[in-house]
């Protein structure tokens, strides 16, 4: 979780530098039972296991990120509990130089991609430092398989959401987890 908060800080510092997702070119990620496609100008920056939980991070050239967490089924959560724990960790681990503000409301979200509906949860929050506010939005989705449950969480500054939403949808629509 500390890694996520460091990324949030870096995103804040680099706000307004987001480039549109390169939707004309895509790369394919396949490793140890996970696969998905993502924009060619994005990068898979981490793929590691810690205490039976796998973490994969996909980052845009600006401040958008997709965090993938894969849990053994017996250690998994309902999606709402997962998001609540994620939000709690974000609030607790945010560096003291930043202020994090939200209404703590987690809302349902439906994303339709090529006729397929994905149901997830959305959380909005504001990061500020020295009276400069950067509203953010985060969406989470779960993908259960026979032995594991994967959670995909994307996060970006609200003003950049339109530039990267196609990339988020691309990962979501092509994500597969194998036993």
């Amino acid at each position: 979780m500390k890694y996520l908060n460091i990324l949030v800080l870096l995103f804040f510092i680099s706000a307004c530098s987001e480039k549109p997702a390169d939707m004309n070119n895509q790369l394919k990620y396949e490793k140890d039972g996970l696969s998905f496609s993502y924009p060619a100008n994005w990068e898979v920056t981490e793929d590691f296991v810690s205490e039976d939980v796998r973490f994969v991070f996909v980052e845009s050239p600006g401040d958008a990120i997709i965090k993938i967490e894969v849990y053994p089924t017996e250690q998994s959560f309902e999606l709402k509990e997962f998001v609540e724990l994620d939000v709690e960790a974000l609030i607790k681990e945010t560096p003291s130089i930043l202020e994090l503000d939200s209404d703590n409301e987690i809302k349902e979200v439906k994303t339709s991609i090529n006729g397929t509906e994905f149901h997830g949860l959305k959380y909005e929050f504001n990061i500020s430092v020295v009276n400069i506010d950067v509203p953010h939005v985060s969406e989470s989705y779960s993908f259960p398989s026979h032995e594991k449950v994967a959670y995909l969480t994307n996060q970006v500054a609200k003003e950049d959401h339109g530039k990267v939403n196609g990339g988020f949808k691309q990962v979501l629509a092509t994500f597969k987890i194998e036993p």
Side-chain angles (χ1 to χ4, degrees):
M1 288 295 167
K2 289 185 181 187
Y3 184 79
L4 176 63
N5 291 324
I6 291 168
L7 288 174
V8 169
L9 175 60
L10 293 174
F11 297 158
F12 182 79
I13 292 168
S14 67
C16 303
S17 64
E18 190 63 65
K19 292 177 178 44
D22 181 357
M23 299 307 297
N24 295 322
N25 300 295
Q26 59 182 320
L27 299 174
K28 178 106 174 159
Y29 188 77
E30 292 180 289
K31 184 176 177 187
D32 299 330
L34 287 185
S35 65
F36 54 88
S37 297
Y38 60 100
N41 63 333
W42 290 19
E43 181 181 2
V44 176
T45 58
E46 295 280 343
D47 186 342
F48 66 94
V49 176
S50 176
E51 299 179 17
D52 293 331
V53 179
R54 182 173 176 188
F55 296 90
V56 179
F57 294 92
V58 184
E59 299 180 44
S60 73
D63 64 1
I65 186 170
I66 298 174
K67 177 182 66 163
I68 301 168
E69 295 181 43
V70 182
Y71 289 80
T73 301
E74 62 275 2
Q75 295 177 21
S76 66
F77 311 91
E78 291 295 322
L79 183 58
K80 185 165 186 180
E81 182 182 8
F82 173 81
V83 173
E84 289 170 345
L85 290 169
D86 210 35
V87 169
E88 184 180 301
L90 178 65
I91 291 168
K92 186 171 148 183
E93 297 174 10
T94 297
S96 60
I97 63 167
L98 299 176
E99 288 183 39
L100 185 78
D101 182 35
S102 77
D103 61 9
N104 292 325
E105 185 177 357
I106 298 170
K107 302 173 185 173
E108 291 185 17
V109 63
K110 290 181 196 172
T111 300
S112 183
I113 306 167
N114 300 325
T116 301
E117 273 198 3
F118 296 87
H119 297 265
L121 295 174
K122 180 179 181 177
Y123 178 73
E124 296 183 14
F125 58 96
N126 187 60
I127 297 174
S128 63
V129 64
V130 290
N131 295 325
I132 300 173
D133 295 333
V134 181
H136 280 71
V137 62
S138 178
E139 293 180 4
S140 296
Y141 300 86
S142 65
F143 289 81
S145 74
H146 298 293
E147 299 172 4
K148 301 175 183 179
V149 177
Y151 302 95
L152 276 69
T153 301
N154 63 56
Q155 179 182 307
V156 69
K158 274 185 168 182
E159 69 183 4
D160 293 331
H161 191 265
K163 294 178 183 178
V164 297
N165 195 42
F168 289 157
K169 286 183 171 185
Q170 182 179 32
V171 173
L172 190 62
T174 60
F175 184 81
K176 296 208 181 348
I177 180 171
E178 314 249 339

